[in-house]
Amino acid sequence: MTTSDTGEIAQFDSVGLRYGTDREVLSDVSFTLFRGCFYFLTGASGAGKTSLLKLLYLSQRPSRGNIRLFGADAITLPRDRLPGFRRRVGVVFQDFRLVPHLSAFDNVALPLRIAGVAEADVTQAVGDMLDWVGLADRMHARPATLSGGEQQRVAIARAVIGRPDLLVADEPTGNVDPEMAVKLLRLFEALNRLGTTVVVATHDVHLLQKVPDCLIMRLDKGRLGDPTGALRFPPRRPGQQP
Amino acid sequence: MIGGWLKRLSGAEDGLGAAITGGRMRVLSGWARGAEDTAMPSRQVGPMPWVIAIMVAMSVVAAASGLAMRNIAQAARTDLAGGVTVQILEGRPELRARQAAAAAELLRQQPGVSNVHQVPQAEVDQLLAPWLGGDVADGVPVPALIDATLDGTPDAARLATLGRVLHGVAPAARIDAQSAWLGPVFGAIASAQWLAAALIVALAAALAAVVLLATRTALGNHAETITIVHMLGGTDPQVARIFQRLIGIDAALGALAGFAGGLLAIMLLGRRVADLEAGLLAGGMLGWADWLALALVPLFATVLAIVTARLSVLGALRRML
Ligand SMILES: Nc1ncnc2c1ncn2[C@@H]1O[C@H](COP(=O)(O)OP(=O)(O)OP(=O)(O)O)[C@@H](O)[C@H]1O
Ligand SMILES: [Mg+2]
C-alpha cells in the first residue's frame, strides 16, 4: 500500500512544535521508524514525549519540518485521508481516553465497529482480547467503575485489537503492577513479531531491559539525542524484514 | 479472522506463541452496527422536539389556510367564469319588465352567449330584502336582473359591444362581468396566500436555526467522544450520521406531534366555518390532494432538520484535525 518498500514507517525531518505562541516544545527532531522495530521513547517529565507521539498519530500538526507516515506526506495529507491512516495506527493515550458511557467491551470494540467489521467477529475478537488482559469479568463495566490499571488495560486492548501497522503507547504501564506490566509488554512484543512497529513512551527503565532488541529514543527538553545514529540507521535484527 | 492472532497468543505456554501468524484484519465485512449506534449516548431530550412541534403545527395551519383560500378563489372563478349580469335600471315596473324580456330574448340570439336566465322579480326582491328591509316591491325601484354566460372571457370590448346591442331594445340595460365585482376579494385572497407562504418560509428558516443550535450543543457535549472516534479512524460522515440520527428522531417525533396538533386546529376551524353556511366559503373544503400536501409538512420538517444537522456537523468537523 502506501508503506514504502524500504521499510520506513515514519520519518521526521527537522520537526519543530510549539503550542500557540509559546516556546518550542520540540526542536529539530529527526528520526526514522523502521517497519518491525520496537522503540522506547524516554525522557524526563515535560520533555515532549506525548507531544512527539501526537505528531506520530496525527492528532497534531508540526509547526515546522516534515513528517512522512506510511510513505505519504503527513503534513499535506488531505482531511478525508486521515481516517485511513489513523486506522493503521493503534494508540494507547497517556490519559486513556476511553469513551465514558461505553462499557469496557464496547470501548474495545469501537475501532472494529468503526472499520465496519461484522458483529460476530467483533464479539469473538473483543471477548478474546479482554480475556487476555484479564478483564473478562469486567467487560460490562463502565470506565468510571474501573481502577486505573483496569482502564489502562482496556485502553491497550482497544489500541491493539485491530492489529495496527504502528502501535503508539504513551506510558502504557504506568498504572499496573510490575507483573502486569511485563505481561502487557509481552503483548506488544507479540504484536511486534507480527510486523507491527511499536513505540512505547515510558519512564520505567526496567521496562527497557525487558525487550532485548529494542531501540531507545531519548528526549531532552524537546531535543532528540541520537549519538550512535541508530535512530536513522538502525542495526538489523535477525529475521527482521528490511 | 481478526482475533485469530490473539487466540493463538493466549493458547501458548507462557501466553505467547512463538509461531504467531494471523491474517490481517478484514474490514470488508460490512456494517454490522457501526460506530454510530455505540459511540454516542442515547438521545438527549431537549426542548427541540417541542419547538419543532409548534412550528410544524403553525405551518400546517398556515398551509391549510393557503390551500383553502386557493380553493375558494378557484371555485368562485369557475362559478363566475364568463358570467355576466344585465341589470335593467328602470323605475316603471311595466317598462322594466318589457325591456327585460326583450333584452333576454336578444341575448339568447347572440352568438357565444348561453345560459340566459332572467331572475324572477320575486327572487330579486328576496335577495335584496335583508338590505332594504320589509316590502321592497312597494316604493323602492329594484332593477331586473338577467344572468348569462359568455364563451371565453368577458373582456371590456366584448361587454361594450353587447351593451350597445342591448341598448337598442332596452335603453335602461347595464351589463357587467360577475368576476369584476369580486376583483378586490380575489386580490385579498392572493395577498393572504402570499402571507401564508411567507409564514411557512419563515417557520422553515426558524426550524433550521433551532436545529443548528441543538446540533452545536450536542457537538459541544460530545466533543471528547468525537475526538476519540476520529483518533480511532472514524470518518466525518460516520460522526455526522450519529448526529443526523439523534436530531432526526427528535425532529420526527416533534413533527408528528405538531402535525396532529395542526390537524386538530384545522378541523375545529373547519367546523366553525361550516357553521357559517357562507356559500363562498363552502368552496374552501380541502380535497385529498390538499391533505396529502399537508402531510408533506412534517416530512419536509424532518428532512430539513436532518439535512441541517448533517451540514452543520460536517462544517464543524472540518474545523477539527
Ligand atoms: N496542549 C498544550 N498546550 C500548551 N502546552 C502544552 C500542551 N501540551 C503539552 N504542553 C507543554 O509541552 C511540554 C511537553 O509536554 P509533553 O506532554 O509532551 O511532555 P511529556 O514528555 O509527555 O511529559 P510526561 O512524562 O509528564 O507525560 C510541556 O512543557 C507541556 O507543558
Ligand atoms: Mg506525556
Side-chain angles (χ1 to χ4, degrees):
Chain A
M1 229 169 86
T2 36
T3 308
S4 65
D5 293 340
T6 50
E8 290 143 10
I9 287 281
Q11 268 176 298
F12 277 47
D13 187 14
S14 310
V15 169
L17 174 69
R18 65 173 81 233
Y19 294 104
T21 54
D22 285 358
R23 74 202 154 75
E24 281 195 325
V25 299
L26 291 175
S27 302
D28 296 318
V29 172
S30 301
F31 64 88
T32 302
L33 298 183
F34 290 87
R35 195 191 319 174
C37 291
F38 197 118
Y39 297 86
F40 278 110
L41 177 60
T42 65
S45 180
K49 300 184 293 295
T50 299
S51 303
L52 192 154
L53 296 185
K54 275 184 182 169
L55 295 173
L56 201 52
Y57 58 71
L58 302 178
S59 123
Q60 191 86 49
R61 296 210 192 238
S63 318
R64 59 187 179 87
N66 286 311
I67 297 178
R68 292 183 72 77
L69 188 63
F70 302 129
D73 187 343
I75 314 279
T76 57
L77 201 61
R79 216 191 123 64
D80 58 351
R81 287 190 62 199
L82 285 176
F85 278 72
R86 284 174 175 155
R87 286 178 195 189
R88 299 177 66 186
V89 183
V91 185
V92 183
F93 300 95
Q94 188 167 15
D95 50 357
F96 314 145
R97 310 192 83 163
L98 301 177
V99 181
H101 51 264
L102 293 187
S103 67
F105 182 94
D106 286 331
N107 263 290
V108 176
L110 200 50
L112 300 182
R113 288 181 174 150
I114 286 172
V117 173
E119 198 57 24
D121 293 345
V122 170
T123 310
Q124 177 77 45
V126 175
D128 290 350
M129 182 56 79
L130 284 172
D131 206 24
W132 165 256
V133 296
L135 288 175
D137 52 336
R138 303 289 283 141
M139 65 162 68
H140 299 299
R142 299 259 166 128
T145 67
L146 295 173
S147 76
E150 287 170 336
Q151 289 183 40
Q152 190 148 46
R153 281 180 275 158
V154 174
I156 290 171
R158 186 181 67 182
V160 302
I161 187 91
R163 229 190 105 194
D165 291 327
L166 172 62
L167 177 73
V168 176
D170 200 350
E171 296 285 356
T173 56
N175 290 278
V176 296
D177 55 76
E179 211 173 312
M180 180 51 86
V182 170
K183 193 176 179 200
L184 293 174
L185 204 59
R186 292 284 165 266
L187 181 62
F188 294 160
E189 281 189 271
L191 204 57
N192 178 236
R193 269 196 297 268
L194 287 174
T196 294
T197 306
V198 179
V199 183
V200 178
T202 185
H203 290 119
D204 188 352
V205 284
H206 299 296
L207 225 48
L208 313 191
Q209 296 156 3
K210 293 278 189 323
V211 183
D213 294 320
C214 67
L215 292 160
I216 296 171
M217 306 163 78
R218 199 177 302 278
L219 264 179
D220 185 18
K221 295 198 184 96
R223 290 180 180 274
L224 188 69
D226 186 15
T228 63
L231 295 177
R232 283 169 166 265
F233 316 100
R236 284 282 164 80
R237 287 161 62 183
Q240 182 198 320
Q241 299 170 34
Chain B
M1 184 52 217
I2 320 148
W5 70 275
L6 185 77
K7 199 168 222 159
R8 269 162 293 201
L9 180 69
S10 317
E13 38 169 2
D14 69 335
L16 287 174
I20 301 166
T21 52
R24 254 201 78 78
M25 182 177 99
R26 291 275 147 251
V27 292
L28 307 170
S29 324
W31 285 89
R33 278 207 294 171
E36 287 104 303
D37 288 312
T38 49
M40 297 289 156
S42 51
R43 66 188 192 83
Q44 302 169 300
V45 180
M48 197 191 70
W50 295 107
V51 177
I52 289 183
I54 292 167
M55 286 172 172
V56 167
M58 287 167 75
S59 299
V60 166
V61 172
S65 315
L67 290 170
M69 284 185 285
R70 189 201 60 181
N71 292 350
I72 289 171
Q74 237 163 32
R77 272 207 189 92
T78 1
D79 271 4
L80 303 179
V84 292
T85 300
V86 176
Q87 306 175 66
I88 312 294
L89 301 162
E90 171 54 62
R92 284 155 295 177
E94 319 81 52
L95 195 54
R96 183 169 68 218
R98 206 163 350 109
Q99 285 196 14
E105 192 50 43
L106 185 67
L107 272 179
R108 283 196 185 94
Q109 291 160 12
Q110 296 299 314
V113 180
S114 54
N115 295 332
V116 177
H117 164 68
Q118 187 175 354
V119 183
Q121 201 63 36
E123 209 174 290
V124 177
D125 289 350
Q126 203 187 349
L127 255 171
L128 293 178
W131 309 97
L132 301 178
D135 300 315
V136 195
D138 332 322
V140 188
V142 171
L145 296 180
I146 304 164
D147 285 342
T149 308
L150 303 190
D151 302 347
T153 42
D155 52 25
R158 216 162 148 210
L159 289 180
T161 316
L162 263 181
R164 268 196 304 280
V165 172
L166 283 175
H167 274 281
V169 295
R174 214 191 107 180
I175 183 163
D176 288 298
Q178 286 166 2
S179 57
W181 302 2
L182 284 173
V185 177
F186 286 135
I189 287 179
S191 308
Q193 277 178 302
W194 279 111
L195 192 70
L199 197 66
I200 291 170
V201 170
L203 284 168
L207 184 137
V210 167
V211 170
L212 207 71
L213 282 177
T215 310
R216 287 220 184 115
T217 310
L219 276 172
N221 290 344
H222 301 309
E224 173 63 9
T225 304
I226 293 170
T227 311
I228 295 171
V229 169
H230 269 154
M231 283 303 137
L232 298 179
T235 62
D236 289 353
Q238 278 178 321
V239 175
R241 260 199 298 270
I242 302 167
F243 287 94
Q244 256 166 261
R245 192 171 307 176
L246 284 177
I247 299 279
I249 292 170
D250 271 12
L253 289 177
L256 278 180
F259 185 54
L263 287 188
L264 202 70
I266 295 169
M267 287 180 179
L268 291 178
L269 215 72
R271 191 164 298 169
R272 300 303 291 272
V273 169
D275 287 348
L276 289 177
E277 282 182 17
L280 196 62
L281 290 178
M285 295 304 293
L286 297 179
W288 65 268
D290 299 327
W291 291 111
L292 209 69
L294 290 184
L296 289 181
V297 172
L299 199 72
F300 175 75
T302 308
V303 170
L304 179 66
I306 290 174
V307 169
T308 307
R310 180 179 182 82
L311 293 181
S312 80
V313 170
L314 287 179
L317 292 182
R318 222 163 282 133
R319 269 169 263 131
M320 302 171 78
L321 181 66

